[in-house]
Amino acid sequence: MDEGGSCIRRRVSVRKRTRPSLESLFASPASAEPQLDEDEVDAVAEGRRRKLTARGPSRYCPARQNDSEEDMFGDYDSFTENSLLAQVDDLEQKYMQLPEQRKCTADPASKDLCSGHAADKLSVSTACSLAEHKASEHTAALSGDADGSAGCGDDLLYDVPSSQVLYFEKLQNSSNDLGNQTADESEGYSHKAVAGELSHSHIEQCQQSDDLSLQVGTGSDGRRRKSVKDHLKSAMTGNAKAHTPVLSRSKQLKETLLSEEMNVAKEAIESPSDDLGPFYSLPSKVRDLFVQLKGIEKLYEWQHTCLTLDSVQKRKNLIYSLPTSGGKTLVAEILMLQELLCRRKDVLMILPYVAIVQEKISGLSSFGVELGFFVEEYAASKGRFPPTRRREKKSLYVATIEKGHSLVNSLIETGRISSLGLVVVDELHMIGEGSRGAILEMTLAKILYASRTTQIIGMSATLNNVEDLQDFLQAEYYTSQFRPVELKEYLKINDAIYSVDCQAVNGMTFSRLLNYKYSDALKKMDPDHLVALVTEVIPNYSCIVFCPSKKNCENVAEMLCKFLSKDYLKHKEKEKCELIKSLKSSTSGHLCPVLKCTIPFGVAYHHSGLTSDERKLLEEAYSAGILCLFTCTSTLAAGVNLPARRVILRAPYVAKEFIKRNQYKQMTGRAGRAGIDSIGESILILQEKDKQQVLELINGPLENCYSHLVQEFTKGIQSLFLSLVGLKIATNLCDIYQFMKGTLFGVQQKILLKEKSLWEITVESLQYLIEKGLLQKDTIHNSEEESQCNFHITKLGRASFKGTIDLAYCNILYRDLKKGLEGLVLESLLHLIYLTTPYDLVPQCDPDWMVYFRQFSQLSVAEQNVATLLGVSESFIGKKASGQAIRKKVDKDIVNRLYLSFVLYSLLKETNIWSVSEKFNMPRGYVQNLLTGAASFSSCVLHFCEELEEFWVYKALLVELTKKLTYCVQAELIPLMEVTGVLEGRAKQLYNAGYKTLVHLANANPEVLIRTIDHLSRRQAKQIVSSAKMLLHEKAEALQEEAEELLRLPADFPGVLDSSSTIRHEASLGT
């Protein structure tokens, strides 16, 4: 059937290209085109359908003798109705009566009727462009293009049996004289030929008109028509009897085959063009949406150049690099929309952090609602594996690095990787950063290996060794130094400010001295003159101060506010008061003392110690200009888009390490807001001792990207090999080695490998997986070589690979889950929470033993049984709290993990991060990160248990627990928090305002929301409503698909499968 299908597609595509030429088949160059009547339209369409199945009956059906001359082709090619002969008869009838038909069409009413029909929807069986031709163009075409006429005739004769071609040509020649007599009369008529798919009522009206004309003249013309009919009938009968045995099957099988082939033909003809409009092949509506939703009216010149690159047009892989704020994301978004709308393929966008994923989903949901595609979140514990197979609409998956890897694995496993048309990777330089870089490398390597049709686009502002990445991704490279706002870089040493100048001898030139009167007290508190630097900018412009540590961020914010003028309190005073109220309401009345002091001055700190609600509210306030200064850590540079007029680097250090060139470029790249600022400034404060090192930094090259696939052993190469065998991408040593040669590590092996070869590392890694019980090696026969011996994955290995469990912990997790089955305590959630507490957070835990003992003593009897099962006693905790010596050995990791479980357990009971952080004397940001990590790990453990039958009991339990950990709010708020961008504080506001369900939110009016919900901007209201609509449509589509799946005939249904397989097999034999 596949081969037959391809034949049909080729045949249909040829007809589709030449279909406009049908009108000139039997007309001479100067003749008119008479109007087709109903029978002719039906005959042409039916004849082509019959041709698909009846062209060679022996090709599909087993032979069975049939002696009847009346119907030698069963129901599919009868001599008496809907046959090729009927077409010929009607066509001849029409051309023999041109004068009579002209009389009919001369009637103005008939002309109007037929012209009205021509405006109807075009059908598969008629020339789609006839109704669109102008009269002048049509007249020119009829006036003498001999070559064109010949080509058109050949095209239609393709449908006529070869034994009839000669006679048909004679018939055409005989009609030329008749047509020439009245060529002038037909010029105004021919362009009105009916090319549309007529409605039932229109067909009846048109048929009445045609019947009047066909009643004229029956004498010699009738005899001629009869002779043609007899001749063709005789020839076709002879051909069929002589060489082609007439074959027949049950009507059901014929109908099934016909339906399948017609569906293929229809899909080929109705498939959308890649060019849908004037905006880079996209409809003009897309351009309007960019203006409406993002305020982008015109693209930069480099963006136009990049989008029109030959490599982009040919869908080659591409890497492009520009400075921060250069507009890289817009190019990626246009390419993604092209893939979704023009090529009708799914798209995956990989972003580095959860916050950026959520920001991108909020921004693109409006496009999805307006243009008809889904935007799906794959971050933290969110995401479905494998993704839902959509009936019509395509999906844009926005994922973190880890979730993107899992998504690609699931698509490969289900054979759907070809449905992924485009993969976009932001911050491509992260491929060289630790375990996350190794995961990104694995993801891209699998896509390159498993799908030849998936395009990869990578972008970054900080790339150096691009050649290695080009070799790895088989990609073209585009770069530009364009920046919409000029960036001026400065260095500050003592009171002097120097301009960075690469052409100067020492790399910098003197610019100016700071002119700010400092008191003695201020000099002691602010030796780096930060007050002077920021007051040059704020409050009218924004400023960001990057600090080495989180604590330093808070200290600098407080210090600045102590010396700022009281006048700063009056700037947007009302809005700042509203912000403080919002922060209190989102945290159940709690407010950080530092923020309480700094926000009235328009200053705030920003780092991972904030809760999600606090971070979102502060970012929104900064974007709106309510806050004018952020003191933050380096993570903001790679996080959400928060540019500033001036960026100040407090010191050339990140924590205790000297800053890297890549980090410096990302931080300074935040300076200058396109459309707001005319220039951007960066100032790096340094001491004299660091001067030389800083000069080397700012004038040196960017750091190279090197693969971490082997350095990250359990999260890198071992995890890769396990998934390669599990997905059946490569199952023997030789194939796995060949795959490794295609990775970035394989490209860089000469640089990275000093002691061992790639082959040796491959062999050692596979041996390690066998020893851990994750892989098994097939028995080697004498005739087989070691390199050709196959590996297969064990149940534990498959569970680890499907759950994306770090292989360093997979055996420990299996042991803990197995032990839990012996006495699983279900009277509370504590035992389940312990089993889903992330292992990688345990070493960082340093329990407060007094708090530990106090919490332990408050446990119920059932909860204390959990601790007893784990081997942790109250006496042990009491001795640790009192500082007594402990003789009995207790596993430290279990003790620390149980402590973290207490934190999570309290969090689920109280659903208040502030109160829990105070109770356990932990930073609220740490508690927030612990909750996020636990939700993600719980999702991983769930997938792990799904692959092991012995852990069936955990499946239902972990589904509910994962949901609780993900949202950690009262149950009634969960439906609202499923919407991207709606956190607990906003969910409470919406719920109290009467928006209690997803349906309520999806149907909300943004203008009403603005008036109803405090501190909600118009942009945020529109994004929330768009995200809710997107989620609602996604759920409705999933339910519809589920219903259709229930009603759909199974592919393995007995009888249908056998018949269809037999037909396809015979078709392949016929070809």
Side-chain angles (χ1 to χ4, degrees), residues 222 341 360 370 412 449 531 659 670 876 988 1005 1069:
L341 303 179
K360 183 59 64 179
E370 294 291 334
I412 293 175
Y449 191 90
V531 173
I659 192 173
R670 290 295 185 189
F876 171 81
K988 288 179 179 177
N1005 185 335
L1069 291 177

Side-chain angles (χ1 to χ4, degrees), residues 807-825:
L807 300 187
Y809 304 119
C810 62
N811 293 99
I812 302 173
L813 176 61
Y814 179 82
R815 183 196 65 198
D816 288 345
L817 292 171
K818 189 76 172 176
K819 187 176 181 181
L821 291 178
E822 299 173 2
L824 188 61
V825 178

Side-chain angles (χ1 to χ4, degrees), residues 856-927:
F856 200 103
S857 61
Q858 294 175 2
L859 296 177
S860 66
V861 175
E863 292 164 348
Q864 288 186 356
N865 288 339
V866 175
T868 304
L869 287 170
L870 297 174
V872 180
S873 63
E874 186 176 5
S875 62
F876 171 81
I877 303 298
K879 289 179 180 179
K880 291 290 289 184
S882 60
Q884 299 180 29
I886 306 226
R887 298 178 182 178
K888 183 180 179 181
K889 288 186 178 181
V890 178
D891 191 326
K892 181 181 177 181
D893 289 340
I894 293 178
V895 174
N896 289 358
R897 195 177 183 212
L898 182 61
Y899 184 70
L900 294 179
S901 302
F902 283 179
V903 177
L904 291 169
Y905 185 45
S906 298
L907 200 52
L908 288 186
K909 287 193 296 184
E910 300 179 27
T911 68
N912 189 313
I913 290 178
W914 274 87
S915 61
V916 173
S917 66
E918 291 174 356
K919 181 185 295 185
F920 286 88
N921 195 23
M922 287 180 167
R924 61 191 185 282
Y926 179 85
V927 176

Side-chain angles (χ1 to χ4, degrees), residues 279 282-296 330 333-334 336-337 340-341 359-375 393-394 396 1022-1023 1026-1027 1029-1030 1033:
F279 185 66
L282 291 165
S284 56
K285 182 178 181 180
V286 175
R287 178 181 54 208
D288 297 339
L289 285 173
F290 275 113
V291 176
Q292 175 187 341
L293 300 175
K294 296 197 171 189
I296 299 173
L330 178 60
E333 289 176 354
I334 292 175
M336 290 190 298
L337 291 175
L340 289 162
L341 303 179
E359 181 187 39
K360 183 59 64 179
I361 286 177
S362 296
L364 291 176
S365 290
S366 299
F367 285 86
V369 171
E370 294 291 334
L371 299 173
F373 61 87
F374 291 109
V375 183
K393 294 183 179 180
K394 299 303 174 183
L396 168 58
K1022 289 181 177 179
Q1023 286 183 347
S1026 295
S1027 298
K1029 286 181 178 178
M1030 177 63 62
H1033 292 168

Side-chain angles (χ1 to χ4, degrees), residues 19 114 124 284 294 319 371 398 416 493 522 694 890 921 1051:
R19 205 174 287 144
C114 295
V124 172
S284 56
K294 296 197 171 189
I319 301 170
L371 299 173
V398 186
R416 292 167 52 192
I493 305 174
L522 182 54
V694 167
V890 178
N921 195 23

Side-chain angles (χ1 to χ4, degrees), residues 725-1005:
V725 177
L727 295 171
K728 296 183 173 60
I729 294 176
T731 56
N732 61 55
L733 179 58
C734 188
D735 290 346
I736 293 173
Y737 174 72
Q738 289 299 321
F739 184 95
M740 278 297 296
K741 288 171 67 176
T743 61
L744 179 61
F745 183 83
V747 172
Q748 298 177 332
Q749 58 178 304
K750 292 182 179 179
I751 302 172
L752 300 177
L753 294 179
K754 303 297 182 184
E755 300 177 356
K756 296 179 181 179
S757 67
L758 180 60
W759 178 268
E760 291 173 327
I761 289 177
T762 303
V763 172
E764 288 180 4
S765 299
L766 287 169
Q767 186 59 39
Y768 176 84
L769 293 173
I770 292 172
E771 292 173 358
K772 289 204 72 170
L774 303 174
L775 287 182
Q776 285 184 349
K777 194 174 184 179
D778 292 347
T779 305
I780 303 176
H781 300 292
N782 295 332
S783 59
E784 291 183 335
E785 293 184 7
E786 180 80 17
S787 61
Q788 296 300 321
C789 178
N790 284 328
F791 297 90
H792 65 268
I793 196 167
T794 64
K795 289 183 178 181
L796 177 61
R798 179 167 296 279
S800 302
F801 141 63
K802 294 292 285 290
T804 62
I805 304 295
D806 187 341
L807 300 187
Y809 304 119
C810 62
N811 293 99
I812 302 173
L813 176 61
Y814 179 82
R815 183 196 65 198
D816 288 345
L817 292 171
K818 189 76 172 176
K819 187 176 181 181
L821 291 178
E822 299 173 2
L824 188 61
V825 178
L826 296 178
E827 293 183 44
S828 73
L829 290 173
L830 181 59
H831 201 171
L832 280 176
I833 290 172
Y834 173 82
L835 294 173
T836 56
T837 300
Y839 291 102
D840 56 349
L841 296 180
V842 172
Q844 308 168 21
C845 177
D846 184 17
D848 183 322
W849 296 106
M850 286 301 298
V851 173
Y852 203 161
F853 181 74
R854 190 182 308 118
Q855 293 299 314
F856 200 103
S857 61
Q858 294 175 2
L859 296 177
S860 66
V861 175
E863 292 164 348
Q864 288 186 356
N865 288 339
V866 175
T868 304
L869 287 170
L870 297 174
V872 180
S873 63
E874 186 176 5
S875 62
F876 171 81
I877 303 298
K879 289 179 180 179
K880 291 290 289 184
S882 60
Q884 299 180 29
I886 306 226
R887 298 178 182 178
K888 183 180 179 181
K889 288 186 178 181
V890 178
D891 191 326
K892 181 181 177 181
D893 289 340
I894 293 178
V895 174
N896 289 358
R897 195 177 183 212
L898 182 61
Y899 184 70
L900 294 179
S901 302
F902 283 179
V903 177
L904 291 169
Y905 185 45
S906 298
L907 200 52
L908 288 186
K909 287 193 296 184
E910 300 179 27
T911 68
N912 189 313
I913 290 178
W914 274 87
S915 61
V916 173
S917 66
E918 291 174 356
K919 181 185 295 185
F920 286 88
N921 195 23
M922 287 180 167
R924 61 191 185 282
Y926 179 85
V927 176
Q928 175 84 70
N929 294 334
L930 173 62
L931 179 64
T932 304
S936 182
F937 187 65
S938 177
S939 176
C940 293
V941 176
L942 172 60
H943 293 305
F944 181 90
C945 293
E946 286 174 343
E947 298 299 319
L948 297 170
E949 293 181 6
E950 58 194 298
F951 295 147
W952 63 270
V953 70
Y954 289 117
K955 295 178 186 177
L957 296 172
L958 290 176
V959 168
E960 190 61 29
L961 179 63
T962 302
K963 196 172 184 179
K964 288 179 177 291
L965 290 170
T966 299
Y967 300 108
C968 192
V969 293
Q970 297 171 357
E972 60 267 21
L973 296 180
I974 290 179
L976 298 177
M977 291 188 64
E978 288 179 345
V979 178
T980 301
V982 176
L983 300 178
E984 183 180 2
R986 187 72 76 200
K988 288 179 179 177
Q989 287 181 311
L990 292 167
Y991 188 87
N992 293 333
Y995 299 95
K996 300 183 178 182
T997 66
L998 180 62
V999 178
H1000 288 162
L1001 209 51
N1003 289 281
N1005 185 335

Side-chain angles (χ1 to χ4, degrees), residues 45 203 308 457 471 523-524 547 577 592 600 802 964 1027 1043 1046:
I203 290 173
T308 54
I457 303 290
D471 289 345
K523 285 181 181 179
K524 291 181 181 179
C547 303
C577 290
C592 170
K802 294 292 285 290
K964 288 179 177 291
S1027 298
L1046 288 172

